[in-house]
Amino acid sequence: MEIQDKYSNDQARQSQELMDLYKKEHYNPFSGCLTSIIQMFLVLSMFYLVSQPLTYMKQVETEKIDNYVTQITNEGKNVRYREIAVIKEMRDKDESVKINMDFLGLDLSDIPSENYTNWKVYIIPVLYVFTSFVSTKIITLLTKDPKEIAKEKEEKALIKQEEKKENKETEAMSEMNKQMQLMVPIMSVSIALIAPLGLALYWLVGNLFSLCERLILNKFFKKGEEKEDNG
């Protein structure tokens, strides 16, 4: 931020200074992409795990699953997720396809879009949305220095109507960043509503761990900064 402030009128120099800073601190600006790719693979793995528990948890033969699916389909019942349908329809008839998907009174094999009348299926998705917004808000506040917040307030109070026109581009970028922060939870909830609850639970727990991690790291770095200031 200091570099961007100092060389705001010289983009070439700003880019060079940023690259020098990354090199000095051994930071790869593309490292964030790697973590996103890893997270995507983890989400896909979790989706397969919760949508095909008989294959990945119980190692039930594919032939047996196919036979049960055919039987359920012939009865005119909905089969969006094959193995979930087999568990729900056959668990009382065949012990080999019986699997405990209960979590604090919730059935993690339930799919919100197929259980409109059951209000319990919305508990985890709603908690996920709530923790997403809270987490985003808290992280935004933690990453801002109190002095910077005070400075921003002073600057906003002093900005005239003419100067606001010049800051339209900055405001647009800020608005775009806010929209991006909102898009991820919205997309995730859209997927959670058509997937078994186990996936939404994975995202919810991930949110809680991320928030705790951020709070701990923030406390740790603040102590380090205080020691440097006192030194």
Side-chain angles (χ1 to χ4, degrees):
M1 286 178 72
E2 286 176 9
I3 290 170
Q4 288 171 345
D5 232 11
K6 189 174 180 180
Y7 303 105
S8 58
N9 298 322
D10 189 347
Q11 291 298 319
R13 181 69 187 277
Q14 185 185 120
S15 299
Q16 185 58 50
E17 290 291 330
L18 284 171
M19 291 307 294
D20 290 342
L21 176 65
Y22 293 153
K23 191 175 179 181
K24 180 185 173 185
E25 300 294 336
H26 305 289
Y27 173 74
N28 185 348
F30 300 106
S31 59
C33 297
L34 179 62
T35 55
S36 298
I37 292 168
I38 292 170
Q39 285 177 23
M40 186 173 66
F41 278 112
L42 286 172
V43 170
L44 284 172
S45 301
M46 185 57 63
F47 174 74
Y48 279 114
L49 184 66
V50 297
S51 62
Q52 300 179 41
L54 296 178
T55 298
Y56 297 107
M57 295 184 198
K58 297 275 283 185
Q59 287 82 47
V60 176
E61 299 87 349
T62 305
E63 189 179 348
K64 179 184 274 191
I65 295 171
D66 290 339
N67 290 336
Y68 280 141
V69 169
T70 302
Q71 187 178 328
I72 295 166
T73 306
N74 290 338
E75 291 173 3
K77 293 177 180 175
N78 183 34
V79 182
R80 175 179 288 182
Y81 296 100
R82 291 158 41 90
E83 297 188 15
I84 296 295
V86 171
I87 292 170
K88 287 184 176 294
E89 297 297 327
M90 301 295 174
R91 58 187 164 194
D92 294 331
K93 301 173 185 176
D94 186 349
E95 282 290 327
S96 66
V97 296
K98 188 174 182 179
I99 185 169
N100 183 12
M101 299 284 281
D102 290 334
F103 176 76
L104 300 178
L106 299 172
D107 187 346
L108 296 182
S109 66
D110 278 343
I111 300 157
S113 60
E114 293 181 2
N115 294 271
Y116 295 110
T117 56
N118 183 7
W119 63 271
K120 288 183 179 180
V121 298
Y122 298 104
I123 293 175
I124 294 176
V126 167
L127 285 175
Y128 168 68
V129 173
F130 177 73
T131 54
S132 293
F133 286 122
V134 170
S135 180
T136 302
K137 193 73 177 174
I138 290 174
I139 288 171
T140 303
L141 290 172
L142 289 176
T143 50
K144 280 191 175 183
D145 188 71
K147 292 178 183 177
E148 287 177 13
I149 295 171
K151 189 180 177 183
E152 281 179 12
K153 286 181 180 178
E154 287 175 13
E155 286 175 353
K156 283 179 182 177
L158 294 170
I159 289 175
K160 296 177 182 178
Q161 194 65 33
E162 294 175 5
E163 291 175 328
K164 284 182 182 178
K165 292 178 183 177
E166 295 176 4
N167 291 332
K168 274 185 180 178
E169 195 174 321
T170 307
E171 287 173 8
M173 285 295 291
S174 176
E175 190 62 33
M176 192 180 292
N177 287 334
K178 285 179 183 177
Q179 288 176 1
M180 286 299 292
Q181 287 177 341
L182 293 174
M183 279 300 292
V184 175
I186 290 169
M187 286 176 64
S188 300
V189 168
S190 300
I191 295 169
L193 290 174
I194 60 171
L197 280 178
L199 185 63
L201 179 64
Y202 168 75
W203 277 325
L204 171 61
V205 173
N207 263 0
L208 295 174
F209 271 104
S210 281
L211 184 56
C212 290
E213 179 187 36
R214 186 68 202 182
L215 291 169
I216 292 167
L217 286 173
N218 188 69
K219 193 172 182 181
F220 174 78
F221 284 121
K222 269 194 172 179
K223 280 184 179 179
E225 286 172 3
E226 286 173 5
K227 284 181 181 178
E228 285 181 7
D229 292 340
N230 293 333

